[in-house]
Amino acid sequence: MTRSEFDDIRAFLADPATHAGDLLRIARTLIDDLEQARVREAVLRTHYLRLLTAARTTMAADMVGAPDPLAFLTRELAERGQLPEDEDAVRQILSDARTAEALLAYMHDEQQQQPPVVRMRGMRLRRCVGAHRTLPR
């Protein structure tokens, strides 16, 4: 849920014309959204842990001189359909990795050079980005 949606809900709740039935509908919608987010997080966590385990196992197998240390990682990536299919895909993946590495290094350098941002307290400007939920009126 975007910040704009939260702001819309806060404004709706603060409106004296809002009825109890409307509040109940919003509560049910938010509970549904929260449950969907929890399920997505659990799935992503599982994928991450499987990939991390495969990467660590690959490194351990390499350290002990196993004949095919990449087997664990290869199997995990294959199950997710993430193995490069051809030479063009390999080049694209390596290019993306170099670009990401350069961007991260640049961001790290920028963070080191800039003073911390001081946020002003007070009225917040509304952002109008992304899809939003319409509230009953």
Side-chain angles (χ1 to χ4, degrees):
M1 186 175 290
T2 66
R3 170 66 63 192
S4 176
E5 287 176 310
F6 280 115
D7 290 343
D8 290 345
I9 290 170
R10 280 189 188 99
F12 184 72
L13 294 175
D15 185 357
T18 301
H19 300 291
D22 296 335
L23 296 175
L24 186 58
R25 273 194 306 252
I26 289 174
R28 287 182 178 140
T29 300
L30 291 174
I31 297 263
D32 290 344
D33 288 354
L34 186 59
E35 180 64 18
Q36 289 174 3
R38 190 195 64 75
V39 169
R40 281 192 308 268
E41 180 189 7
V43 168
L44 288 173
R45 233 179 243 268
T46 300
H47 291 315
Y48 171 77
L49 289 174
R50 287 184 61 169
L51 185 58
L52 181 62
T53 300
R56 293 183 74 215
T57 306
T58 296
M59 293 306 297
D62 185 53
M63 289 176 165
V64 297
D68 186 14
L70 289 176
F72 304 102
L73 195 53
T74 302
R75 185 183 68 233
E76 186 62 32
L77 291 174
E79 284 179 17
R80 305 271 168 253
Q82 294 297 316
L83 284 175
E85 298 168 3
D86 55 22
E87 208 172 302
D88 289 337
V90 169
R91 279 195 295 274
Q92 184 65 47
I93 290 168
L94 293 174
S95 174
D96 290 347
R98 284 189 294 272
T99 301
E101 187 177 6
L103 286 172
L104 287 173
Y106 175 78
M107 288 172 52
H108 183 264
D109 290 345
E110 286 291 312
Q111 283 179 339
Q112 299 299 327
Q113 294 174 4
Q114 292 181 356
V117 175
V118 177
R119 297 194 183 250
M120 305 275 299
R121 295 239 181 233
M123 220 165 92
R124 186 178 350 167
L125 295 176
R126 289 187 51 147
R127 294 186 306 168
C128 296
V129 291
H132 68 283
R133 177 172 292 129
T134 57
L135 300 173
R137 290 286 173 193

